């Protein structure tokens, strides 16, 4: 189950990923230490998400397979949805400013939640531990 509190522990290639996303260096440096915390609560197809970081706190809800909008911390708007493929969450989101696609997955691997990100040929991962 994805339910619970997840604190980011470490990231792989996240700096490169943010660069590909067009995030400037100052923001990338800050984002590398954003202390991201995600609280997930799934009931059937519905997820309630609470996100907290050094940048902001945000509450949102989505339903699997249903398109919603999501603003990145820098204001970039995404539109897309999450689905389930087996036990893995797979999200496909489109940037509203340039139409490019960002895909992301969440999976439980051992004791960790691993989120992968892919955009414009660059991939990254962030690893979360239960809080
Ligand atoms: C959620 O389930 O947490 C809300 C929806 C997430 C949408 C996709 C998130 C992509 C985040 C990419 C961060 C990139 C920063 C440059």
């Amino acid at each position: 189950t994805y339910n619970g509190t997840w604190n980011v522990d470490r990231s792989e290639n996240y700096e490169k990923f943010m660069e590909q996303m067009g995030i400037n260096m100052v923001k990338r440096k800050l984002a590398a230490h954003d202390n991201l915390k995600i609280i997930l609560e799934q009931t059937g197809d519905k997820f309630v998400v609470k996100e907290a970081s050094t940048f902001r706190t945000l509450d949102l809800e989505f339903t699997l397979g249903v398109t919603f909008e999501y603003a990145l911390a820098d204001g970039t708007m995404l539109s897309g949805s999450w689905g389930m493929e087996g036990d893995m969450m797979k999200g496909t989101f489109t940037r509203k400013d340039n139409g490019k696609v960002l895909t992301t997955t969440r999976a439980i691997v051992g004791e960790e939640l691993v989120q992968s990100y892919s955009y414009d040929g660059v991939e990254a991962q962030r690893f979360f531990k239960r809080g």
Side-chain angles (χ1 to χ4, degrees):
T1 175
Y2 290 88
N3 287 356
T5 300
W6 299 97
N7 297 312
V8 71
D9 177 62
R10 64 195 187 281
S11 304
E12 290 278 354
N13 212 41
Y14 192 52
E15 170 101 31
K16 284 262 168 53
F17 177 80
M18 289 189 285
E19 190 175 352
Q20 194 73 358
M21 286 287 287
I23 312 286
N24 74 44
M25 190 181 70
V26 172
K27 286 183 185 165
R28 293 203 304 272
K29 296 292 176 205
L30 294 172
H33 306 280
D34 62 357
N35 290 333
L36 179 60
K37 176 196 291 275
I38 300 171
I39 301 173
L40 295 174
E41 195 180 313
Q42 180 183 11
T43 310
D45 277 357
K46 205 168 165 184
F47 280 78
V48 175
V49 182
K50 294 184 202 302
E51 176 188 314
S53 70
T54 53
F55 292 110
R56 62 175 178 180
T57 62
L58 189 70
D59 289 10
L60 66 121
E61 291 185 12
F62 62 83
T63 301
L64 294 173
V66 178
T67 297
F68 64 101
E69 295 195 348
Y70 177 78
L72 300 181
D74 72 347
T76 302
M77 291 299 302
L78 305 178
S79 172
S81 64
W82 282 108
M84 240 357 142
E85 200 170 291
D87 286 340
M88 186 181 287
M89 294 176 66
K90 284 200 164 190
T92 304
F93 295 87
T94 302
R95 271 178 79 143
K96 292 196 145 192
D97 58 348
N98 66 10
K100 289 190 182 180
V101 174
L102 185 161
T103 57
T104 178
T105 64
R106 284 184 177 133
I108 306 293
V109 181
E111 304 269 271
E112 294 185 321
L113 184 154
V114 181
Q115 183 159 7
S116 72
Y117 308 87
S118 178
Y119 175 77
D120 213 13
V122 178
E123 297 188 3
Q125 288 184 310
R126 305 196 85 185
F127 300 84
F128 298 80
K129 293 192 184 298
R130 283 194 186 272

